[in-house]
């Protein structure tokens, strides 16, 4: 039963294909032009994504290295604090605070 259904469906598809294959010159030309346009758009998208990745990868690597250096400095500072060392110089300004309670 199932093989009969599949063979009948295959014959129907062959008939449809034969009907569409007998298209004229202009229908084939339009089909090729549409196919070419789709391929050109796809190529444009791929090249754009590739160029963006080439531009963004160095920026992201720079940010990652900068964050790693900051994390390393913070870990070193925390280690030195835990060892009781006070040879770290912290730069800053002194502001005068007046006590208004008196």
């Amino acid at each position: 039963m199932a093989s009969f259904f599949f063979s009948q469906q295959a014959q129907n598809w062959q008939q449809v294909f034969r009907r569409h294959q007998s298209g004229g010159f202009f229908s084939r030309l339009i089909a090729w032009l549409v196919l070419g346009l789709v391929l050109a758009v796809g190529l444009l998208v791929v090249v754009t994504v590739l160029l963006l990745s080439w531009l963004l990868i160095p920026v992201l690597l720079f940010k990652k290295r900068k964050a790693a250096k900051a994390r390393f400095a913070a870990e070193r500072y925390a280690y030195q604090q835990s060892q009781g060392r006070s040879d770290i110089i912290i730069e800053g300004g002194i502001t005068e605070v007046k006590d208004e309670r008196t």
Side-chain angles (χ1 to χ4, degrees):
M1 182 73 170
S3 64
F4 172 74
F5 174 74
F6 288 123
S7 64
Q8 186 180 9
Q9 191 65 25
Q11 289 174 358
N12 289 341
W13 278 110
Q14 287 174 356
Q15 289 174 359
V16 169
F17 182 69
R18 281 191 206 110
R19 262 188 259 131
H20 288 292
Q21 198 175 19
S22 64
F25 172 75
F26 290 110
S27 65
R28 289 184 184 184
L29 180 67
I30 290 172
W32 279 105
L33 289 176
V34 168
L35 178 66
L37 183 66
V38 168
L39 287 175
V41 168
L43 182 65
L44 183 67
V45 168
V46 167
V47 169
T48 303
V49 169
L50 181 67
L51 290 176
L52 278 175
S53 70
W54 283 351
L55 292 174
L56 289 178
I57 286 174
V59 172
L60 295 175
L61 285 176
F62 174 76
K63 286 184 178 182
K64 190 172 185 177
R65 283 189 196 121
K66 188 176 177 182
K69 284 181 184 178
R71 189 176 59 245
F72 176 73
E75 288 173 357
R76 191 171 123 210
Y77 177 75
Y79 175 74
Q80 288 177 348
Q81 289 297 321
S82 70
Q83 297 297 318
R85 296 182 184 170
S86 62
D87 57 345
I88 298 172
I89 299 173
I90 300 175
E91 295 182 12
I94 299 174
T95 58
E96 184 178 338
V97 178
K98 294 183 181 179
D99 192 10
E100 297 179 1
R101 289 184 273 174
T102 58

